[in-house]
Amino acid sequence: MADAHTARLCVQTIQSHFGPLTAKVASVLLTRGRLPLPQLVRFTSLKPRTVRAAILVLVQHNVLWHANTEDEGEIFEVNVEECLMRLRFGRFVWQAGELFGNALILDHGKLRPPDIISQLSIHDPKLVTSSYLKPSTVLSHVSPRDKRIQYEAEEKAKIAGFQQRRSCARPRKSLQCGCEERKRKQKKLAWCIRKPRDETSHRPTKRKKFEMEDVIDDTIYFRLNFDKFNIHIRNSLIERVAKERFNDGAALVIQAALKVTQSTQTSVSEIRTEPISVANIVLQLSDQDDLSSGLVLASKKNSNAACIKDYLGMLSSADNPTPAGRAGSFVSFNSSKVQVDFEIIGRRLRRRVLESITRERHGAEGVRILRLLLDTGKLDEKQISKVVMMAAKDVRPLLAALAADSLISTQEVPKTADRNPTRTFYLWYVDQHKAYSVLLGNLYKTLYNIGMRRQAEQELPEVKAVLEKRERSDVKQDTSLLTRLEQDILKEWESKQQKLSILEMRVEETVFVLRDLGVLGINDD
């Protein structure tokens, strides 16, 4: 079940996309957990017909899970990740327009190929073959917990004498892997049907050769694959970080390396890209790209291949073969093979977010203590005071303030069995999973406040009157019908909306770093 801040943000998002009645149904499910239809009708105090219509809308747009249980029948549960992903729909539409020249329609949730062709007036199998669209299978409407329970029950039934508790813990990992493998197989088989292909050769033969080819099934419903669009967000973020740290030439090299392996990138949870050669990167860059302008070279005439190797040495921290240098690298460059390390970059981006928030709240001294604990591990108060060269009377309240914000945590080490506080060591350390979870909750709260501020600005009496007047047909044709005062009010309101949108994009990018890139190493030691 989602926490309070996440639940409020989900309800606000659903209300802005589907209306207040659907938001009320989602609010009950987020507050009380998974419920069957009779209890949902009872808690929402709505008509059964209205609740069914709201459920159909949410299921169509993949916001609601539903599964059949033996005790309660069909139950419903909100897919929180799918709901929060709707905050990026504007960016997804823009990205689709940049890639294909047409914006993918997200108003229908899921569509069959004939409906997609009629809506977009295009027929581009690349949307499916490149994994920008994925099939909406039966398993996609079931929560991961229900799928795990069902698969575990099936595997237990195959094993004779599977009754003891100790034997349950051993195959748990294999059960999870098997569940993921089943999901991948169903996705692969869902979108295509195999048909014989007649290959005629120039040489006359007695028997024709038949081969099987994959054809998109028109009866399958397709939905947007968010992972593929998140990959573009991650790659653009990595390019911008490389540009901030080095220069434009380094950003071009990392962009070319990511573009070569873009077709093989399927998820943001990948640790690194496939190995590529320097020649592949050279082919992605044109002769007009002046890479030598960002380097200090002995000779003035240098080929792009030589400059790329120098940039790869910088990006791989070849001049600093230490753990600290490795932690600050972007790529691994060994034996003429290049790989972009997503795990190292994601860990560094999350740490940068953590340090920036600590600096904003507790100053440079708080960042000094945080970095010490991240690098060395658990330390007591005296050791921290000695290493950071601060007085104990200054370190003690700063540690308490950092712990109040869940940026650091304590570990008790008792000297005796009675756990007397006077005979107990208290060690300070950074619990990254806890710190990132608290920061995510605060960011969700910020996104909710931004939405409330946008709604409050729009509901001001003078602004509301001007917006209603602007929607009139005569005013749309001739904007001079608005008075100077109304034009000033409208201009000020649009300026505020633009600032709120920019702030929302920045906060959402931080959420992307902590949540989507956090799957690589949120449990780092």
Side-chain angles (χ1 to χ4, degrees), residues 466-481:
V466 175
L467 292 177
E468 291 177 355
K469 184 177 180 180
R470 191 180 64 171
E471 294 298 323
R472 286 165 32 185
S473 58
D474 56 342
V475 178
K476 287 182 178 179
Q477 296 176 0
D478 186 9
T479 57
S480 62
L481 296 177

Side-chain angles (χ1 to χ4, degrees), residues 356-363 398 405-407 438-439 442:
S356 63
I357 294 177
T358 305
R359 180 178 288 105
E360 180 182 354
R361 296 180 181 178
H362 306 285
L398 190 54
D405 291 338
S406 300
L407 298 175
V438 173
L439 292 181
N442 295 334

Side-chain angles (χ1 to χ4, degrees), residues 181-428:
E181 184 67 22
R182 174 185 291 188
K183 183 178 179 181
R184 286 193 295 268
K185 287 182 179 179
Q186 184 168 359
K187 281 185 179 181
K188 176 63 179 175
L189 297 176
W191 67 269
C192 64
I193 54 178
R194 301 187 68 83
K195 291 184 177 180
R197 180 176 59 189
D198 186 9
E199 290 190 356
T200 58
S201 58
H202 300 285
R203 188 180 303 173
T205 55
K206 296 181 180 180
R207 186 171 53 187
K208 295 183 179 180
K209 296 181 180 179
F210 289 94
E211 291 186 1
M212 305 302 291
E213 63 175 350
D214 293 337
V215 181
I216 298 176
D217 190 358
D218 291 341
T219 61
I220 298 298
Y221 284 85
F222 286 88
R223 50 168 298 188
L224 204 66
N225 186 9
F226 299 141
D227 286 337
K228 197 65 177 179
F229 288 90
N230 286 333
I231 287 173
H232 290 281
I233 299 176
R234 178 197 62 189
N235 294 349
S236 62
L237 182 62
I238 292 175
E239 294 167 15
R240 191 170 74 247
V241 172
K243 183 178 179 180
E244 292 175 358
R245 182 171 178 182
F246 297 106
N247 52 25
D248 295 338
L252 285 175
V253 172
I254 200 81
Q255 179 184 7
L258 291 171
K259 191 175 181 180
V260 172
T261 60
Q262 186 174 344
S263 59
T264 60
Q265 299 173 23
T266 58
S267 175
V268 292
S269 61
E270 294 172 337
I271 298 178
R272 60 182 62 89
T273 60
E274 296 291 334
I276 58 175
S277 62
V278 179
N280 298 128
I281 301 177
V282 174
L283 293 175
Q284 295 295 327
L285 297 174
S286 61
D287 296 334
Q288 286 77 19
D289 296 327
D290 188 11
L291 299 178
S292 60
S293 61
L295 297 172
V296 179
L297 302 172
S299 60
K300 296 183 179 181
K301 295 182 180 180
N302 292 277
S303 61
N304 276 350
C307 295
I308 287 173
K309 290 182 179 179
D310 292 336
Y311 277 116
L312 290 175
M314 292 165 45
L315 292 169
S316 61
S317 299
D319 58 340
N320 187 11
T322 61
R326 179 62 178 164
S329 62
F330 286 82
V331 300
S332 59
F333 184 35
N334 297 320
S335 65
S336 70
K337 293 295 182 180
V338 182
Q339 287 181 293
V340 181
D341 292 320
F342 296 132
E343 184 178 7
I344 296 176
I345 299 172
R347 186 183 294 114
R348 190 165 62 251
L349 290 175
R350 290 192 301 275
R351 177 165 176 169
R352 188 174 71 171
V353 171
L354 185 63
E355 291 180 356
S356 63
I357 294 177
T358 305
R359 180 178 288 105
E360 180 182 354
R361 296 180 181 178
H362 306 285
E365 292 80 6
V367 178
R368 196 188 309 170
I369 294 176
L370 182 73
R371 288 177 177 174
L372 173 65
L373 295 178
L374 284 172
D375 294 336
T376 60
K378 297 181 175 68
L379 295 175
D380 63 355
E381 184 180 322
K382 293 181 180 179
Q383 291 174 321
I384 295 174
S385 175
K386 182 178 179 181
V387 175
V388 300
M389 295 182 291
M390 294 174 58
K393 62 182 182 62
D394 298 329
V395 171
R396 190 175 296 112
L398 190 54
L399 291 173
L402 290 170
D405 291 338
S406 300
L407 298 175
I408 62 175
S409 304
T410 56
Q411 174 68 50
E412 298 181 359
V413 182
K415 296 180 182 179
T416 57
D418 58 354
R419 293 183 175 272
N420 192 335
T422 59
R423 294 188 293 272
T424 301
F425 292 108
Y426 291 94
L427 304 180
W428 298 91

Side-chain angles (χ1 to χ4, degrees), residues 107-122:
D107 297 338
H108 300 83
K110 57 179 76 72
L111 289 172
R112 293 178 301 175
D115 300 328
I116 297 175
I117 296 171
S118 63
Q119 292 287 340
L120 297 179
S121 300
I122 59 170

Side-chain angles (χ1 to χ4, degrees), residues 151-162:
Y151 186 75
E152 188 173 352
E154 294 176 0
E155 292 299 319
K156 284 181 180 179
K158 297 178 183 178
I159 303 175
F162 197 85

